[in-house]
Amino acid sequence: MSVNLQTPIDYLKGVGPNRADLLRSELGIQTYQDLINLFPNRYIDRTKHYKINDLQRNEAEVQIIGIITGFKEVAQKRGKRLVATFKDDTGTMELVWFRGQKWIRDSLKTGQPYVIFGKTNWFSGKFSMPHPEIELQSEHESNLRSAMQAIYPSTEKLSNKGVTNKVVSKIMQQLFLETNGRFIETLPTEMMSELKLISKSDALFNVHFPKTPELLARAQYRLKFEELFYIQLQLIIKNLIHKSKIKGFAFNKVGDYFNTFYKDHLPFELTNAQKRVLKEIRLDLGSNAQMNRLLQGDVGSGKTIVAFMSILMGLDNDFQCCLMAPTAILSAQHYQGISELCKPLEISVSLLTGSTKTSERKLIHENLENGNLQILIGTHALLEDKVKFKNLGLAIIDEQHRFGVAQRSKLWHKNELPPNVLVMTATPIPRTLAMSVYGDLDISVIDELPAGRKAIKTVHRYDNNRLKVFKFMKDEIALERQIYIVYPLIQESENMDYKDLMDGYESVSREFPMPEYQISIVHGKMKPADKDYEMQRFVKGETQIMVATTVIEVGVNVPNASVMIIESAERFGLSQLHQLRGRVGRGAEQSYCILMTSRKLSQNSKTRLETMVRSSDGFEIAEVDLKLRGPGDIMGTQQSGVLNLRIADIIKDADILQVARDYAKNTLKLDPSLVSADNKVILHTYRQMSKYRNIWNYIS
Ligand code: ADP
Ligand code: MG
C-alpha cells in the first residue's frame, strides 16, 4: 500500500502534536511531502574528528572524541547550569546544559570515551559546547551508516525545544520506513535517460542519507533539475497564456514617420544590437498580442533612439504614445531630446510633470483626449486620473525599478485594451536571473556600445590624496570639461549625509573660488524649481562642477562632463556605482571616474571597488553584485519568488537552469497541452504541484 504524501506530519511515528506544531511553525512542514522536501543545507563527515586545540572560533558543527573528567553546577541569574569538563589529548573544554540536567548527570559517566557533536562558543578564554549531541564512542561507531551526515535547516526555537538535527534525521528515517522509500516518479523516462538522471526514489534517499559522495552529487543534480524544470515550465506556460489571451493593439503598417526618419533624419548609424532589438520590437508590435517587453542596455548603449523609433511605429498606426521617467530632470531631458528628433517630422510632443502649470496642464489634457497630442512625456504625473488618452498604443517606461508593477498596470486601465509596454532599464539583470524572474516578460538586450566610445578610466583613491585629485580637476576644467562630485545619501543617516555634502561643497568652493569657477549644487532637500535651475546651469555649461547627491544617478546626459568623482564610494552598491559612472563618457573625450574612500575598507567594499576599476561591462558587474549581495537584493526578485527555491541556487546552478529551461521550452513546443503519453507524468506532476501549493508559492 502506498502512503499518501499529503498526510499531515502529526501522523508520522515519533512526531506527535508538540513536534508537529514546532515543525509547522518553524519550518513550514505540514505534510509528509513537505518533510521529504526539507533538503539538507550541507553534509558533514562524521568520520572526521577535531582536536580541542585545533578549534577555531565561529566554526560550524564539529565532532570531537574525549572523556568527561567531572561535573559542576553553576548558579546563574535564573536557575543553574550543568557544566562538564571534557578533555582530549590536546586540551580541555566545557560541555554546558541549561535543561534536563538531572537526566544528563545520571546518564553520562566520567572516564569513558564519548563522541560529542555541535557548535562551539568561545567564552572567557575557553571553548564550550552547549547541549552537545553526545554518545559513547562504541555506540557511535556501530551506528555510523554513512560518512556523510545531512545537516538540516533549523531554528533556535527548534534546538531549544530539543528538536535537534539528530531528531530530524530520525524522523526522516521513519518517513522512509513508512513509505518504503518508494516515491512516484515525476519526470518522463526518456528525459531521465537522455540526461542520465537517477530515479526520484534514489535521489530522495541519497539526498537525505548519501551512500557515497558520487551518489549525493547525482541526487542533488536530479532534484535541482526537476525543481528548475517545473518552475520554467510554469513561467513559459504563463507567458504563452498571456500571449494568447491578452489582446493588444497591432501596429500593422510601417508608415511615413518611421521610413522618413530612418531614411533622412537618423542622426547616426544604428549599432547592430539596436537594429536587432528594433526588429524584435517590431515583430511584437505587429502581432495582436499585447507587447510586454523588457529592454536591457547598459548606460550609454542608446536605448532612447530605440524608444523613439518604437514610438514612430505607433504614430504610423495612428496611436498615441507615452514615455514615463522616474524624475522631473530625466523627463525634461527626454522631452528635449525627443522634441529635437520630432522637429523635422512635425510631430506634437508635450511634457507633463508635477510642476507643469495649471493652464498648460489643461491644454495637455484636452489635446490628449481629442487626439491632437501624439506623444506625452513625463513623470508619475502621467498616472493621474485626469490624464486620459484618446488611444494610447504604446507606453514606454524608463528605468523600471523606480516604478512598481502596480503603477504600470494603472496605465493599462486607461484604454479598453492594454497598451503595448516597453520597459527600459540600464541596471542589467544577469541573464540567468532575468530568465527566471521575468520568464513572463520578453527580453531584448542591447549588448553593444556605439562605435568610437572611449572606455572610462576608473581609479580608486584614498581621501588623503585629495590634493592631487583637486589638481587633476583643475587640469580638466582648463580643458573646458565639466565634473560631477557625488555624495552618498542614505535614509537613516540623512542629516549626517547632508552635513558631509555641505562640508564637501564648502571645501570645493574654497579650492575652486568664484568668479573663476562656478559650482552647481543639487540635493533632495531643494525645491524642484531650484534643483532644475541648478541642473540647467550645469547642462548649459555655465558651471564647471556639479556637487550632488545621487539624484543625478539616472539618465542625466551632459556629454561635456568628463570626470565623475564619487565620495565615500565604499558606501555605494556596485550597480549604483556603475550607474553613476555612466554619467560620464558620453562625449568624444577621454573620461574618468575617481572612487574616493577612507582607508578602512571591508572585504566586500574592496571587491566592489576592484570590480569597478577592472570592468566596465554592466553585465559582468551585475554578476559580481549578485554574488556579493545574493539575489534577494536585486530588483524585482522579492516578488518573483526565485528565492523560495528548495534545493537549486539561481547563481550556482545557472548551468542546470539553462538545461532545464531548454527542456521546458522544447517540451511545450512539441506538445503545448502536454497530452502525449510521454508527457503524462509531467502533466500529472504539474497539476499536483499547483493543487498542493508548492509551485504557486514560487510565483506570486
Ligand atoms: P541610454 O541607453 O543610457 O539611455 P542614450 O540613449 O542616452 O543611452 O544614448 C547615449 C548617447 O549615445 C546619446 O548621446 C545618443 O545620442 C548616442 N547614441 C545612441 N546610439 C548611437 C549610435 N548608434 N551611434 C552613435 N551614437 C549613439
Ligand atoms: Mg537613458
Side-chain angles (χ1 to χ4, degrees):
M1 202 193 76
S2 80
V3 176
N4 181 357
L5 291 182
Q6 299 310 324
T7 307
I9 197 69
D10 313 55
Y11 291 86
L12 193 64
K13 199 175 148 215
V15 174
N18 288 342
R19 282 183 177 171
D21 279 347
L22 276 171
L23 289 172
R24 263 192 294 271
S25 64
E26 295 299 296
L27 297 173
I29 295 172
Q30 319 246 10
T31 62
Y32 282 27
Q33 173 90 60
D34 295 335
L35 182 62
I36 297 182
N37 286 336
L38 178 72
F39 294 119
N41 285 336
R42 58 202 173 81
Y43 300 82
I44 55 143
D45 184 347
R46 293 295 305 255
T47 58
K48 194 175 149 201
H49 299 98
Y50 276 78
K51 292 290 181 188
I52 291 176
N53 73 355
D54 289 336
L55 290 177
Q56 305 282 325
R57 287 186 220 184
N58 299 322
E59 216 151 27
E61 286 85 353
V62 291
Q63 177 169 269
I64 307 167
I65 301 176
I67 56 169
I68 294 172
T69 56
F71 291 95
K72 62 181 176 201
E73 281 179 351
V74 182
Q76 52 185 38
K77 252 192 215 143
R78 263 179 289 154
K80 54 190 185 211
R81 61 177 185 269
L82 176 68
V83 177
T85 307
F86 187 76
K87 165 174 183 239
D88 69 4
D89 50 6
T90 70
T92 306
M93 62 184 289
E94 290 183 339
L95 312 180
V96 186
W97 291 269
F98 301 96
R99 295 170 311 276
Q101 295 159 357
K102 173 152 177 21
W103 180 79
I104 285 159
R105 182 71 185 78
D106 292 346
S107 61
L108 297 179
K109 300 182 185 73
T110 52
Q112 302 244 26
Y114 280 105
V115 178
I116 60 163
F117 174 75
K119 276 190 182 153
T120 55
N121 290 330
W122 174 256
F123 193 69
S124 51
K126 215 182 263 170
F127 279 104
S128 63
M129 187 182 285
H131 288 260
E133 276 182 39
I134 182 161
E135 55 189 352
L136 284 168
Q137 190 181 5
S138 51
E139 259 171 49
H140 172 79
E141 273 158 15
S142 67
N143 281 345
L144 203 62
R145 253 173 240 95
S146 157
M148 278 166 296
Q149 188 186 352
I151 304 294
Y152 290 98
S154 184
T155 66
E156 209 177 312
K157 195 161 170 198
L158 278 177
S159 44
N160 280 343
K161 301 265 175 179
V163 186
T164 57
N165 197 64
K166 199 169 163 187
V167 169
V168 175
S169 188
K170 273 245 170 71
I171 297 174
M172 196 67 83
Q173 277 178 42
Q174 182 60 31
L175 187 139
F176 274 81
L177 267 176
E178 288 190 19
T179 56
N180 277 324
R182 305 312 318 154
F183 301 101
I184 294 170
E185 185 49 62
T186 44
L187 289 174
T189 322
E190 208 182 284
M191 198 181 284
M192 284 176 34
S193 64
E194 260 179 50
L195 289 165
K196 303 201 168 56
L197 301 177
I198 60 175
S199 72
K200 176 96 169 192
S201 298
D202 286 349
L204 286 174
F205 183 82
N206 278 288
V207 90
H208 292 295
F209 309 102
K211 285 184 185 147
T212 64
E214 291 71 34
L215 270 169
L216 172 61
R218 294 192 66 188
Q220 287 172 319
Y221 188 93
R222 140 92 214 205
L223 295 169
K224 286 174 178 183
F225 174 85
E226 172 177 347
E227 179 170 47
L228 294 169
F229 173 79
Y230 280 103
I231 290 173
Q232 290 305 314
L233 196 75
Q234 216 249 356
L235 285 170
I236 295 167
I237 289 174
K238 237 175 109 183
N239 191 9
L240 291 177
I241 292 173
H242 181 97
K243 281 208 171 122
S244 63
K245 284 236 179 89
I246 306 201
K247 295 268 176 286
F249 298 114
F251 297 176
N252 292 316
K253 63 174 194 253
V254 179
D256 287 345
Y257 283 129
F258 189 92
N259 287 333
T260 311
F261 179 78
Y262 193 78
K263 274 209 316 275
D264 302 333
H265 305 294
L266 203 57
F268 35 69
E269 169 97 24
L270 295 179
T271 63
N272 286 329
Q274 285 169 322
K275 285 185 196 160
R276 187 189 67 237
V277 164
L278 269 168
K279 252 188 219 151
E280 290 166 358
I281 292 173
R282 178 184 262 176
L283 262 180
D284 263 15
L285 291 175
S287 86
N288 57 6
Q290 185 227 5
M291 175 168 87
N292 205 5
R293 188 170 278 279
L294 179 70
L295 173 58
Q296 288 198 46
D298 215 340
V299 271
S301 62
K303 291 184 291 294
T304 314
I305 195 88
V306 171
F308 179 67
M309 291 174 77
S310 309
I311 287 177
L312 293 182
M313 296 178 204
L315 301 189
D316 274 334
N317 289 273
D318 297 321
F319 286 104
Q320 294 171 309
C321 301
C322 72
L323 170 58
M324 193 159 76
T327 64
I329 294 174
L330 250 185
S331 310
Q333 203 164 290
H334 273 310
Y335 175 69
Q336 270 164 18
I338 286 182
S339 301
E340 201 63 38
L341 295 168
C342 282
K343 248 182 218 152
L345 302 168
E346 295 180 1
I347 294 169
S348 54
V349 200
S350 290
L351 174 67
L352 181 68
T353 67
S355 50
T356 306
K357 289 197 192 75
T358 317
S359 54
E360 207 185 325
R361 194 177 281 260
K362 269 201 181 130
L363 202 64
I364 290 175
H365 291 166
E366 245 173 69
N367 285 330
L368 265 188
E369 281 195 67
N370 65 27
N372 286 342
L373 184 58
Q374 292 169 287
I375 306 176
L376 181 61
I377 296 173
T379 53
H380 286 81
L382 263 60
L383 298 170
E384 282 166 17
D385 289 334
K386 280 187 195 137
V387 180
K388 292 197 187 81
F389 292 86
K390 184 174 175 222
N391 58 350
L392 179 63
L394 171 65
I396 299 180
I397 301 170
D398 195 7
E399 304 300 350
Q400 163 274 335
H401 54 296
R402 307 277 159 134
F403 295 107
V405 180
Q407 288 169 323
R408 239 192 283 165
S409 61
K410 216 170 169 188
L411 261 179
W412 280 36
H413 295 306
K414 297 195 173 228
N415 318 34
E416 74 266 43
L417 279 185
N420 293 297
V421 175
L422 181 68
V423 175
M424 305 197 290
T425 173
T427 312
I429 307 158
R431 269 163 252 256
T432 47
L433 191 60
M435 199 155 78
S436 5
V437 181
Y438 296 112
D440 59 336
L441 265 182
D442 292 302
I443 301 176
S444 290
V445 182
I446 306 185
D447 50 6
E448 180 188 358
L449 293 182
R453 287 276 168 80
K454 288 201 183 84
I456 300 163
K457 285 194 179 139
T458 303
V459 294
H460 171 203
R461 294 283 178 265
Y462 292 109
D463 289 338
N464 52 3
N465 286 325
R466 194 169 297 278
L467 287 181
K468 277 196 191 141
V469 174
F470 282 149
K471 165 85 172 59
F472 175 73
M473 288 168 65
K474 282 184 181 146
D475 292 347
E476 283 291 302
I477 293 173
L479 295 168
E480 303 198 335
R481 310 281 141 71
Q482 288 167 282
I483 296 171
Y484 294 102
I485 305 178
V486 178
Y487 284 82
L489 190 123
I490 292 164
Q491 292 299 331
E492 308 102 65
S493 53
E494 213 184 328
N495 284 324
M496 241 177 70
D497 285 338
Y498 276 111
K499 188 175 177 307
D500 285 352
L501 174 78
M502 296 324 277
D503 287 352
Y505 176 66
E506 256 169 46
S507 88
V508 173
S509 303
R510 241 178 286 124
E511 193 66 32
F512 296 85
M514 293 211 282
E516 194 186 349
Y517 298 101
Q518 298 288 331
I519 306 173
S520 291
I521 178 162
V522 173
H523 59 75
K525 282 192 176 169
M526 290 164 69
K527 289 204 192 83
D530 296 341
K531 237 192 304 198
D532 209 44
Y533 172 77
E534 288 284 309
M535 200 65 222
Q536 287 309 325
R537 289 211 304 150
F538 188 69
V539 172
K540 288 185 204 142
E542 292 168 10
T543 60
Q544 298 103 337
I545 302 174
M546 157 72 77
V547 176
T549 54
T550 44
V551 286
I552 59 150
E553 181 190 339
V554 255
V556 173
N557 191 17
V558 181
N560 190 50
S562 65
V563 182
M564 167 63 66
I565 298 173
I566 305 175
E567 295 287 345
S568 304
E570 71 270 29
R571 290 179 55 195
F572 290 87
L574 250 183
S575 67
Q576 216 179 2
L577 290 173
H578 181 63
Q579 285 292 310
L580 285 168
R581 179 168 60 181
R583 298 307 109 215
V584 297
R586 312 198 134 223
E589 308 305 333
Q590 176 63 55
S591 291
Y592 304 88
C593 175
I594 304 174
L595 307 168
M596 304 293 299
T597 73
S598 67
R599 284 198 176 263
K600 256 184 29 208
L601 294 174
S602 69
Q603 192 51 46
N604 191 305
S605 304
K606 274 186 204 151
T607 309
R608 270 178 280 144
L609 295 162
E610 281 161 16
T611 306
M612 284 296 293
V613 170
R614 182 188 75 233
S615 173
S616 58
D617 176 349
F619 280 101
E620 187 187 338
I621 288 171
E623 295 278 358
V624 177
D625 200 25
L626 188 59
K627 281 188 188 129
L628 288 179
R629 301 196 298 164
D633 288 333
I634 309 276
M635 53 184 255
T637 56
Q638 274 94 342
Q639 304 96 309
S640 77
V642 278
L643 299 173
N644 301 341
L645 287 174
R646 285 220 162 81
I647 186 165
D649 178 315
I650 285 295
I651 305 159
K652 292 190 197 122
D653 301 319
D655 297 350
I656 310 179
L657 173 63
Q658 186 62 52
V659 179
R661 184 164 174 86
D662 289 347
Y663 267 84
K665 256 192 190 159
N666 204 37
T667 304
L668 287 168
K669 197 166 138 202
L670 298 175
D671 182 14
S673 317
L674 302 172
V675 289
S676 76
D678 280 351
N679 291 333
K680 216 171 162 178
V681 41
I682 297 181
L683 187 63
H684 178 76
T685 308
Y686 186 75
R687 287 202 174 136
Q688 287 288 110
M689 285 179 145
S690 19
K691 195 161 150 203
Y692 297 111
R693 78 205 158 86
N694 294 3
I695 203 162
W696 302 108
N697 279 350
Y698 292 122
I699 293 111
S700 52

